[in-house]
Amino acid sequence: MFTGKDIAQAAKKDLESFFENNAGFVLNLELDSNSTQHASVVGVGDKLRVRLSKSYCSAQVSGVDDLHFFLFVVSHEIAHYLHAHKDESTIDSKSIEAFADFFGARVMMPLLTYGESFIKIYEDFQFKFHGGEVLNSIGRAVSKLAETLFNNSSNLYSNRISRVGHCSAGITSFLDSQFHNINVQRSMDILTRIYNEGSLPEIFQKEAA
């Protein structure tokens, strides 16, 4: 059984492994925080860090859908961390959060595809890597995000349908890079898989009008 902390530590290990040693890149994590926010980026300069709450770190990750959900959360914060985001206004916040949804998905996908720790976690879950099945599971994770963390009325964030779109665009963008081309049909197939999972069809039907 894995926990949210295991997912965060795996992300740290694999992301750091993508950099050359002489780059000196380090992903600073503050784990088991008493913060009421599940996940955030705090500090500046050398003290910049991704802070994860006790509830995030202790949460049970019981399968690949949970894995993708928790990795979405930490990858969103990694996107903020990599760009040292600092919002100055409500408009700034909406733009920055939209970018972090998109770029966080771009961070998540290479971690899942090439990260040795995540390949091992897939094996431990006895999950045979298959592009379609991965996308289906990611769709269920996005659905859970839409039902929970994205489902709020804060004016600092886009609405949850837009946030689902930002995350999905990050996934299609990664695959465009993987295949070295932009293929509209492939992107539509990916979006169809994601948007048909979990409660997303009902959410779109109810709120997209």
Side-chain angles (χ1 to χ4, degrees):
M1 182 69 71
F2 295 94
T3 64
K5 181 187 289 188
D6 294 324
I7 303 310
Q9 291 174 326
K12 170 181 169 66
K13 181 179 179 181
D14 286 349
L15 184 63
E16 290 176 352
S17 76
F18 293 163
F19 289 80
E20 296 287 347
N21 290 334
N22 59 11
F25 174 79
V26 176
L27 174 62
N28 294 317
L29 298 178
E30 178 187 343
L31 302 173
D32 293 307
S33 167
N34 289 319
S35 173
T36 56
Q37 290 183 293
H38 294 302
S40 57
V41 172
V42 296
V44 295
D46 292 341
K47 294 185 178 180
L48 187 71
R49 61 200 184 277
V50 173
R51 183 171 65 189
L52 299 168
S53 70
K54 286 183 178 179
S55 60
Y56 176 97
C57 290
S58 63
Q60 298 297 301
V61 179
S62 58
V64 291
D65 293 358
D66 287 345
L67 162 63
H68 294 144
F69 175 82
F70 282 93
L71 186 54
F72 259 121
V73 174
V74 74
S75 294
H76 175 99
E77 301 306 330
I78 289 171
H80 286 311
Y81 179 92
L82 292 172
H83 294 87
H85 282 156
K86 183 179 180 182
D87 55 307
E88 302 290 349
S89 69
T90 299
I91 293 174
D92 282 344
S93 179
K94 276 192 173 180
S95 298
I96 288 170
E97 294 300 333
F99 177 82
D101 286 338
F102 168 82
F103 196 81
R106 287 274 310 193
V107 169
M108 182 183 77
M109 292 302 291
L111 289 173
L112 292 173
T113 306
Y114 301 113
E116 292 183 4
S117 299
F118 286 102
I119 291 171
K120 179 65 165 58
I121 292 173
Y122 274 151
E123 291 173 352
D124 288 345
F125 281 134
Q126 298 183 332
F127 180 77
K128 186 175 181 180
F129 190 97
H130 177 277
E133 291 304 316
V134 171
L135 289 170
N136 292 344
S137 176
I138 286 173
R140 291 188 290 273
V142 172
S143 176
K144 186 175 179 180
L145 287 169
E147 295 163 9
T148 57
L149 299 179
F150 291 176
N151 189 21
N152 67 76
S153 58
S154 171
N155 61 3
L156 300 180
Y157 298 89
S158 303
N159 64 59
R160 61 178 173 171
I161 290 179
S162 296
R163 297 193 69 183
V164 165
H166 302 153
C167 294
S168 302
I171 294 163
T172 60
S173 176
F174 168 78
L175 291 170
D176 288 344
S177 297
Q178 282 289 98
F179 289 101
H180 305 291
N181 62 41
I182 297 175
N183 184 297
V184 174
Q185 186 59 57
R186 180 180 65 235
S187 293
M188 292 302 298
D189 290 344
I190 293 165
L191 295 176
T192 299
R193 279 186 179 273
I194 293 171
Y195 292 170
N196 275 299
E197 289 294 337
S199 62
L200 290 178
E202 290 79 13
I203 291 173
F204 278 111
Q205 185 175 25
K206 178 182 177 182
E207 300 179 20

mmCIF file of all heavy atoms in Angstrom, residues 56-96:
data_model
loop_
_atom_site.group_PDB
_atom_site.id
_atom_site.type_symbol
_atom_site.label_atom_id
_atom_site.label_comp_id
_atom_site.label_asym_id
_atom_site.label_seq_id
_atom_site.Cartn_x
_atom_site.Cartn_y
_atom_site.Cartn_z
ATOM 1 N N TYR A 56 -2.681 14.905 3.173
ATOM 2 C CA TYR A 56 -2.206 14.451 1.861
ATOM 3 C C TYR A 56 -1.203 13.318 2.040
ATOM 4 O O TYR A 56 -1.289 12.277 1.384
ATOM 5 C CB TYR A 56 -1.560 15.600 1.079
ATOM 6 C CG TYR A 56 -0.969 15.155 -0.246
ATOM 7 C CD1 TYR A 56 -1.681 15.288 -1.427
ATOM 8 C CD2 TYR A 56 0.303 14.581 -0.311
ATOM 9 C CE1 TYR A 56 -1.158 14.865 -2.640
ATOM 10 C CE2 TYR A 56 0.837 14.147 -1.514
ATOM 11 C CZ TYR A 56 0.108 14.295 -2.675
ATOM 12 O OH TYR A 56 0.629 13.856 -3.863
ATOM 13 N N CYS A 57 -0.238 13.526 2.919
ATOM 14 C CA CYS A 57 0.855 12.555 3.070
ATOM 15 C C CYS A 57 0.390 11.219 3.615
ATOM 16 O O CYS A 57 0.945 10.174 3.276
ATOM 17 C CB CYS A 57 1.947 13.141 3.971
ATOM 18 S SG CYS A 57 2.865 14.499 3.212
ATOM 19 N N SER A 58 -0.633 11.230 4.462
ATOM 20 C CA SER A 58 -1.090 9.984 5.085
ATOM 21 C C SER A 58 -2.187 9.292 4.285
ATOM 22 O O SER A 58 -2.552 8.145 4.595
ATOM 23 C CB SER A 58 -1.595 10.261 6.500
ATOM 24 O OG SER A 58 -2.721 11.126 6.470
ATOM 25 N N ALA A 59 -2.724 9.951 3.267
ATOM 26 C CA ALA A 59 -3.819 9.371 2.489
ATOM 27 C C ALA A 59 -3.382 8.087 1.798
ATOM 28 O O ALA A 59 -2.254 7.977 1.295
ATOM 29 C CB ALA A 59 -4.319 10.375 1.454
ATOM 30 N N GLN A 60 -4.260 7.107 1.788
ATOM 31 C CA GLN A 60 -3.960 5.818 1.171
ATOM 32 C C GLN A 60 -4.130 5.886 -0.343
ATOM 33 O O GLN A 60 -5.119 6.425 -0.843
ATOM 34 C CB GLN A 60 -4.872 4.735 1.753
ATOM 35 C CG GLN A 60 -4.702 4.516 3.244
ATOM 36 C CD GLN A 60 -3.320 4.016 3.604
ATOM 37 O OE1 GLN A 60 -2.889 2.964 3.136
ATOM 38 N NE2 GLN A 60 -2.612 4.782 4.426
ATOM 39 N N VAL A 61 -3.168 5.322 -1.053
ATOM 40 C CA VAL A 61 -3.200 5.245 -2.512
ATOM 41 C C VAL A 61 -3.361 3.770 -2.851
ATOM 42 O O VAL A 61 -2.404 2.993 -2.798
ATOM 43 C CB VAL A 61 -1.909 5.829 -3.127
ATOM 44 C CG1 VAL A 61 -1.939 5.721 -4.652
ATOM 45 C CG2 VAL A 61 -1.726 7.276 -2.697
ATOM 46 N N SER A 62 -4.572 3.381 -3.199
ATOM 47 C CA SER A 62 -4.888 1.955 -3.282
ATOM 48 C C SER A 62 -4.944 1.401 -4.701
ATOM 49 O O SER A 62 -5.225 0.216 -4.881
ATOM 50 C CB SER A 62 -6.224 1.678 -2.576
ATOM 51 O OG SER A 62 -7.255 2.453 -3.148
ATOM 52 N N GLY A 63 -4.695 2.232 -5.690
ATOM 53 C CA GLY A 63 -4.712 1.756 -7.071
ATOM 54 C C GLY A 63 -4.260 2.835 -8.020
ATOM 55 O O GLY A 63 -3.910 3.942 -7.606
ATOM 56 N N VAL A 64 -4.269 2.528 -9.318
ATOM 57 C CA VAL A 64 -3.728 3.479 -10.286
ATOM 58 C C VAL A 64 -4.568 4.738 -10.394
ATOM 59 O O VAL A 64 -4.027 5.818 -10.657
ATOM 60 C CB VAL A 64 -3.539 2.829 -11.676
ATOM 61 C CG1 VAL A 64 -2.424 1.797 -11.639
ATOM 62 C CG2 VAL A 64 -4.827 2.221 -12.188
ATOM 63 N N ASP A 65 -5.883 4.646 -10.182
ATOM 64 C CA ASP A 65 -6.710 5.860 -10.225
ATOM 65 C C ASP A 65 -6.284 6.815 -9.108
ATOM 66 O O ASP A 65 -6.161 8.026 -9.327
ATOM 67 C CB ASP A 65 -8.189 5.525 -10.081
ATOM 68 C CG ASP A 65 -8.745 4.749 -11.268
ATOM 69 O OD1 ASP A 65 -7.991 4.501 -12.228
ATOM 70 O OD2 ASP A 65 -9.939 4.384 -11.223
ATOM 71 N N ASP A 66 -6.066 6.270 -7.915
ATOM 72 C CA ASP A 66 -5.584 7.088 -6.801
ATOM 73 C C ASP A 66 -4.199 7.647 -7.103
ATOM 74 O O ASP A 66 -3.910 8.815 -6.810
ATOM 75 C CB ASP A 66 -5.517 6.264 -5.511
ATOM 76 C CG ASP A 66 -6.877 5.968 -4.917
ATOM 77 O OD1 ASP A 66 -7.857 6.611 -5.319
ATOM 78 O OD2 ASP A 66 -6.946 5.087 -4.041
ATOM 79 N N LEU A 67 -3.336 6.806 -7.660
ATOM 80 C CA LEU A 67 -1.995 7.247 -8.028
ATOM 81 C C LEU A 67 -2.063 8.471 -8.923
ATOM 82 O O LEU A 67 -1.396 9.483 -8.672
ATOM 83 C CB LEU A 67 -1.252 6.116 -8.745
ATOM 84 C CG LEU A 67 -0.015 6.497 -9.570
ATOM 85 C CD1 LEU A 67 1.080 7.082 -8.686
ATOM 86 C CD2 LEU A 67 0.503 5.281 -10.340
ATOM 87 N N HIS A 68 -2.879 8.405 -9.958
ATOM 88 C CA HIS A 68 -2.967 9.518 -10.901
ATOM 89 C C HIS A 68 -3.583 10.752 -10.247
ATOM 90 O O HIS A 68 -3.154 11.876 -10.517
ATOM 91 C CB HIS A 68 -3.769 9.093 -12.138
ATOM 92 C CG HIS A 68 -3.095 8.036 -12.946
ATOM 93 N ND1 HIS A 68 -3.781 7.042 -13.589
ATOM 94 C CD2 HIS A 68 -1.777 7.805 -13.178
ATOM 95 C CE1 HIS A 68 -2.926 6.255 -14.217
ATOM 96 N NE2 HIS A 68 -1.709 6.690 -13.978
ATOM 97 N N PHE A 69 -4.544 10.553 -9.365
ATOM 98 C CA PHE A 69 -5.148 11.686 -8.654
ATOM 99 C C PHE A 69 -4.113 12.412 -7.799
ATOM 100 O O PHE A 69 -3.957 13.637 -7.882
ATOM 101 C CB PHE A 69 -6.302 11.187 -7.780
ATOM 102 C CG PHE A 69 -6.911 12.252 -6.904
ATOM 103 C CD1 PHE A 69 -7.856 13.138 -7.416
ATOM 104 C CD2 PHE A 69 -6.541 12.378 -5.580
ATOM 105 C CE1 PHE A 69 -8.421 14.127 -6.612
ATOM 106 C CE2 PHE A 69 -7.098 13.360 -4.764
ATOM 107 C CZ PHE A 69 -8.033 14.235 -5.279
ATOM 108 N N PHE A 70 -3.388 11.675 -6.979
ATOM 109 C CA PHE A 70 -2.410 12.303 -6.091
ATOM 110 C C PHE A 70 -1.234 12.889 -6.870
ATOM 111 O O PHE A 70 -0.680 13.924 -6.473
ATOM 112 C CB PHE A 70 -1.931 11.308 -5.034
ATOM 113 C CG PHE A 70 -2.905 11.116 -3.922
ATOM 114 C CD1 PHE A 70 -3.848 10.100 -3.966
ATOM 115 C CD2 PHE A 70 -2.928 11.983 -2.839
ATOM 116 C CE1 PHE A 70 -4.778 9.935 -2.954
ATOM 117 C CE2 PHE A 70 -3.855 11.832 -1.820
ATOM 118 C CZ PHE A 70 -4.778 10.805 -1.875
ATOM 119 N N LEU A 71 -0.878 12.252 -7.992
ATOM 120 C CA LEU A 71 0.214 12.801 -8.795
ATOM 121 C C LEU A 71 -0.223 14.077 -9.501
ATOM 122 O O LEU A 71 0.581 15.005 -9.662
ATOM 123 C CB LEU A 71 0.708 11.769 -9.801
ATOM 124 C CG LEU A 71 1.949 12.175 -10.604
ATOM 125 C CD1 LEU A 71 3.109 12.588 -9.694
ATOM 126 C CD2 LEU A 71 2.380 11.044 -11.533
ATOM 127 N N PHE A 72 -1.482 14.165 -9.916
ATOM 128 C CA PHE A 72 -1.992 15.419 -10.467
ATOM 129 C C PHE A 72 -1.804 16.552 -9.464
ATOM 130 O O PHE A 72 -1.361 17.652 -9.808
ATOM 131 C CB PHE A 72 -3.483 15.309 -10.802
ATOM 132 C CG PHE A 72 -3.805 15.103 -12.253
ATOM 133 C CD1 PHE A 72 -4.501 13.981 -12.662
ATOM 134 C CD2 PHE A 72 -3.435 16.039 -13.212
ATOM 135 C CE1 PHE A 72 -4.815 13.778 -13.997
ATOM 136 C CE2 PHE A 72 -3.738 15.858 -14.549
ATOM 137 C CZ PHE A 72 -4.438 14.718 -14.941
ATOM 138 N N VAL A 73 -2.160 16.285 -8.210
ATOM 139 C CA VAL A 73 -2.083 17.316 -7.175
ATOM 140 C C VAL A 73 -0.649 17.792 -6.990
ATOM 141 O O VAL A 73 -0.374 19.000 -7.014
ATOM 142 C CB VAL A 73 -2.659 16.790 -5.845
ATOM 143 C CG1 VAL A 73 -2.437 17.813 -4.734
ATOM 144 C CG2 VAL A 73 -4.145 16.491 -5.988
ATOM 145 N N VAL A 74 0.277 16.874 -6.816
ATOM 146 C CA VAL A 74 1.655 17.288 -6.552
ATOM 147 C C VAL A 74 2.303 17.873 -7.812
ATOM 148 O O VAL A 74 3.119 18.807 -7.731
ATOM 149 C CB VAL A 74 2.490 16.123 -5.974
ATOM 150 C CG1 VAL A 74 2.856 15.087 -7.020
ATOM 151 C CG2 VAL A 74 3.748 16.646 -5.291
ATOM 152 N N SER A 75 1.929 17.389 -8.992
ATOM 153 C CA SER A 75 2.496 17.923 -10.238
ATOM 154 C C SER A 75 2.036 19.358 -10.475
ATOM 155 O O SER A 75 2.799 20.176 -11.012
ATOM 156 C CB SER A 75 2.104 17.039 -11.425
ATOM 157 O OG SER A 75 2.690 15.758 -11.309
ATOM 158 N N HIS A 76 0.803 19.662 -10.090
ATOM 159 C CA HIS A 76 0.316 21.050 -10.172
ATOM 160 C C HIS A 76 1.211 21.957 -9.331
ATOM 161 O O HIS A 76 1.607 23.051 -9.781
ATOM 162 C CB HIS A 76 -1.130 21.102 -9.672
ATOM 163 C CG HIS A 76 -1.711 22.473 -9.588
ATOM 164 N ND1 HIS A 76 -2.527 23.002 -10.565
ATOM 165 C CD2 HIS A 76 -1.601 23.445 -8.635
ATOM 166 C CE1 HIS A 76 -2.896 24.230 -10.230
ATOM 167 N NE2 HIS A 76 -2.354 24.523 -9.045
ATOM 168 N N GLU A 77 1.557 21.513 -8.136
ATOM 169 C CA GLU A 77 2.423 22.332 -7.276
ATOM 170 C C GLU A 77 3.850 22.386 -7.815
ATOM 171 O O GLU A 77 4.525 23.418 -7.705
ATOM 172 C CB GLU A 77 2.406 21.789 -5.847
ATOM 173 C CG GLU A 77 1.034 21.756 -5.199
ATOM 174 C CD GLU A 77 0.319 23.092 -5.227
ATOM 175 O OE1 GLU A 77 0.997 24.150 -5.212
ATOM 176 O OE2 GLU A 77 -0.938 23.097 -5.267
ATOM 177 N N ILE A 78 4.309 21.310 -8.417
ATOM 178 C CA ILE A 78 5.642 21.316 -9.038
ATOM 179 C C ILE A 78 5.693 22.358 -10.153
ATOM 180 O O ILE A 78 6.710 23.042 -10.336
ATOM 181 C CB ILE A 78 6.000 19.915 -9.570
ATOM 182 C CG1 ILE A 78 6.266 18.956 -8.397
ATOM 183 C CG2 ILE A 78 7.236 19.977 -10.479
ATOM 184 C CD1 ILE A 78 6.424 17.507 -8.814
ATOM 185 N N ALA A 79 4.593 22.490 -10.898
ATOM 186 C CA ALA A 79 4.535 23.516 -11.950
ATOM 187 C C ALA A 79 4.731 24.905 -11.351
ATOM 188 O O ALA A 79 5.473 25.731 -11.899
ATOM 189 C CB ALA A 79 3.209 23.432 -12.698
ATOM 190 N N HIS A 80 4.060 25.183 -10.235
ATOM 191 C CA HIS A 80 4.273 26.461 -9.542
ATOM 192 C C HIS A 80 5.725 26.594 -9.088
ATOM 193 O O HIS A 80 6.344 27.654 -9.223
ATOM 194 C CB HIS A 80 3.364 26.553 -8.312
ATOM 195 C CG HIS A 80 1.924 26.801 -8.601
ATOM 196 N ND1 HIS A 80 1.483 27.797 -9.445
ATOM 197 C CD2 HIS A 80 0.799 26.190 -8.127
ATOM 198 C CE1 HIS A 80 0.155 27.789 -9.483
ATOM 199 N NE2 HIS A 80 -0.285 26.822 -8.691
ATOM 200 N N TYR A 81 6.267 25.529 -8.539
ATOM 201 C CA TYR A 81 7.637 25.523 -8.003
ATOM 202 C C TYR A 81 8.659 25.819 -9.102
ATOM 203 O O TYR A 81 9.564 26.644 -8.925
ATOM 204 C CB TYR A 81 7.910 24.157 -7.373
ATOM 205 C CG TYR A 81 9.288 23.972 -6.782
ATOM 206 C CD1 TYR A 81 9.522 24.243 -5.439
ATOM 207 C CD2 TYR A 81 10.344 23.485 -7.548
ATOM 208 C CE1 TYR A 81 10.785 24.052 -4.880
ATOM 209 C CE2 TYR A 81 11.597 23.290 -7.010
ATOM 210 C CZ TYR A 81 11.823 23.575 -5.673
ATOM 211 O OH TYR A 81 13.076 23.387 -5.134
ATOM 212 N N LEU A 82 8.518 25.146 -10.232
ATOM 213 C CA LEU A 82 9.487 25.306 -11.320
ATOM 214 C C LEU A 82 9.511 26.723 -11.866
ATOM 215 O O LEU A 82 10.542 27.198 -12.344
ATOM 216 C CB LEU A 82 9.182 24.318 -12.447
ATOM 217 C CG LEU A 82 9.411 22.839 -12.141
ATOM 218 C CD1 LEU A 82 8.890 21.978 -13.288
ATOM 219 C CD2 LEU A 82 10.895 22.561 -11.905
ATOM 220 N N HIS A 83 8.365 27.411 -11.785
ATOM 221 C CA HIS A 83 8.273 28.759 -12.336
ATOM 222 C C HIS A 83 8.266 29.835 -11.253
ATOM 223 O O HIS A 83 8.134 31.024 -11.568
ATOM 224 C CB HIS A 83 7.016 28.881 -13.204
ATOM 225 C CG HIS A 83 7.070 28.026 -14.440
ATOM 226 N ND1 HIS A 83 6.668 26.712 -14.456
ATOM 227 C CD2 HIS A 83 7.509 28.301 -15.695
ATOM 228 C CE1 HIS A 83 6.846 26.214 -15.669
ATOM 229 N NE2 HIS A 83 7.350 27.151 -16.433
ATOM 230 N N ALA A 84 8.429 29.414 -9.989
ATOM 231 C CA ALA A 84 8.451 30.355 -8.858
ATOM 232 C C ALA A 84 7.302 31.359 -8.975
ATOM 233 O O ALA A 84 7.492 32.570 -8.884
ATOM 234 C CB ALA A 84 9.797 31.072 -8.782
ATOM 235 N N HIS A 85 6.112 30.828 -9.175
ATOM 236 C CA HIS A 85 4.938 31.681 -9.393
ATOM 237 C C HIS A 85 4.635 32.567 -8.186
ATOM 238 O O HIS A 85 4.734 32.143 -7.045
ATOM 239 C CB HIS A 85 3.707 30.820 -9.691
ATOM 240 C CG HIS A 85 3.670 30.310 -11.089
ATOM 241 N ND1 HIS A 85 2.965 29.179 -11.460
ATOM 242 C CD2 HIS A 85 4.233 30.788 -12.233
ATOM 243 C CE1 HIS A 85 3.098 28.982 -12.753
ATOM 244 N NE2 HIS A 85 3.860 29.938 -13.239
ATOM 245 N N LYS A 86 4.229 33.771 -8.506
ATOM 246 C CA LYS A 86 3.766 34.706 -7.479
ATOM 247 C C LYS A 86 2.678 35.562 -8.096
ATOM 248 O O LYS A 86 2.931 36.355 -9.005
ATOM 249 C CB LYS A 86 4.912 35.591 -6.986
ATOM 250 C CG LYS A 86 4.497 36.550 -5.864
ATOM 251 C CD LYS A 86 5.663 37.396 -5.398
ATOM 252 C CE LYS A 86 5.232 38.350 -4.280
ATOM 253 N NZ LYS A 86 6.348 39.225 -3.832
ATOM 254 N N ASP A 87 1.447 35.381 -7.604
ATOM 255 C CA ASP A 87 0.345 36.148 -8.184
ATOM 256 C C ASP A 87 0.144 37.447 -7.419
ATOM 257 O O ASP A 87 0.303 37.509 -6.210
ATOM 258 C CB ASP A 87 -0.952 35.331 -8.198
ATOM 259 C CG ASP A 87 -1.321 34.804 -6.827
ATOM 260 O OD1 ASP A 87 -0.472 34.158 -6.208
ATOM 261 O OD2 ASP A 87 -2.458 35.050 -6.389
ATOM 262 N N GLU A 88 -0.192 38.491 -8.143
ATOM 263 C CA GLU A 88 -0.370 39.824 -7.564
ATOM 264 C C GLU A 88 -1.826 40.270 -7.550
ATOM 265 O O GLU A 88 -2.157 41.275 -6.937
ATOM 266 C CB GLU A 88 0.467 40.842 -8.359
ATOM 267 C CG GLU A 88 1.962 40.534 -8.408
ATOM 268 C CD GLU A 88 2.658 40.738 -7.074
ATOM 269 O OE1 GLU A 88 2.037 41.302 -6.170
ATOM 270 O OE2 GLU A 88 3.813 40.313 -6.944
ATOM 271 N N SER A 89 -2.691 39.546 -8.239
ATOM 272 C CA SER A 89 -4.092 39.948 -8.327
ATOM 273 C C SER A 89 -4.948 38.738 -8.625
ATOM 274 O O SER A 89 -4.438 37.643 -8.903
ATOM 275 C CB SER A 89 -4.273 40.989 -9.434
ATOM 276 O OG SER A 89 -4.064 40.387 -10.711
ATOM 277 N N THR A 90 -6.260 38.929 -8.591
ATOM 278 C CA THR A 90 -7.181 37.845 -8.923
ATOM 279 C C THR A 90 -6.970 37.380 -10.353
ATOM 280 O O THR A 90 -6.971 36.175 -10.633
ATOM 281 C CB THR A 90 -8.638 38.310 -8.734
ATOM 282 O OG1 THR A 90 -8.819 38.662 -7.361
ATOM 283 C CG2 THR A 90 -9.611 37.205 -9.116
ATOM 284 N N ILE A 91 -6.778 38.315 -11.264
ATOM 285 C CA ILE A 91 -6.545 37.961 -12.673
ATOM 286 C C ILE A 91 -5.252 37.170 -12.795
ATOM 287 O O ILE A 91 -5.180 36.160 -13.504
ATOM 288 C CB ILE A 91 -6.513 39.221 -13.557
ATOM 289 C CG1 ILE A 91 -7.899 39.875 -13.586
ATOM 290 C CG2 ILE A 91 -6.077 38.869 -14.975
ATOM 291 C CD1 ILE A 91 -7.942 41.198 -14.321
ATOM 292 N N ASP A 92 -4.200 37.617 -12.091
ATOM 293 C CA ASP A 92 -2.949 36.871 -12.089
ATOM 294 C C ASP A 92 -3.176 35.448 -11.601
ATOM 295 O O ASP A 92 -2.676 34.484 -12.184
ATOM 296 C CB ASP A 92 -1.919 37.528 -11.165
ATOM 297 C CG ASP A 92 -1.263 38.751 -11.785
ATOM 298 O OD1 ASP A 92 -1.375 38.919 -13.008
ATOM 299 O OD2 ASP A 92 -0.639 39.512 -11.044
ATOM 300 N N SER A 93 -3.907 35.320 -10.517
ATOM 301 C CA SER A 93 -4.124 34.012 -9.920
ATOM 302 C C SER A 93 -4.821 33.070 -10.893
ATOM 303 O O SER A 93 -4.406 31.921 -11.061
ATOM 304 C CB SER A 93 -4.950 34.138 -8.636
ATOM 305 O OG SER A 93 -5.177 32.869 -8.071
ATOM 306 N N LYS A 94 -5.870 33.530 -11.540
ATOM 307 C CA LYS A 94 -6.591 32.667 -12.488
ATOM 308 C C LYS A 94 -5.673 32.206 -13.612
ATOM 309 O O LYS A 94 -5.698 31.034 -14.001
ATOM 310 C CB LYS A 94 -7.801 33.410 -13.065
ATOM 311 C CG LYS A 94 -9.031 33.355 -12.196
ATOM 312 C CD LYS A 94 -10.258 33.839 -12.947
ATOM 313 C CE LYS A 94 -11.512 33.603 -12.110
ATOM 314 N NZ LYS A 94 -12.730 34.058 -12.804
ATOM 315 N N SER A 95 -4.873 33.113 -14.128
ATOM 316 C CA SER A 95 -3.963 32.773 -15.222
ATOM 317 C C SER A 95 -2.892 31.793 -14.755
ATOM 318 O O SER A 95 -2.578 30.811 -15.445
ATOM 319 C CB SER A 95 -3.306 34.036 -15.777
ATOM 320 O OG SER A 95 -4.260 34.920 -16.309
ATOM 321 N N ILE A 96 -2.334 32.066 -13.578
ATOM 322 C CA ILE A 96 -1.264 31.220 -13.054
ATOM 323 C C ILE A 96 -1.784 29.824 -12.720
ATOM 324 O O ILE A 96 -1.130 28.810 -13.020
ATOM 325 C CB ILE A 96 -0.618 31.889 -11.821
ATOM 326 C CG1 ILE A 96 0.210 33.094 -12.269
ATOM 327 C CG2 ILE A 96 0.255 30.903 -11.047
ATOM 328 C CD1 ILE A 96 0.690 33.965 -11.122
#
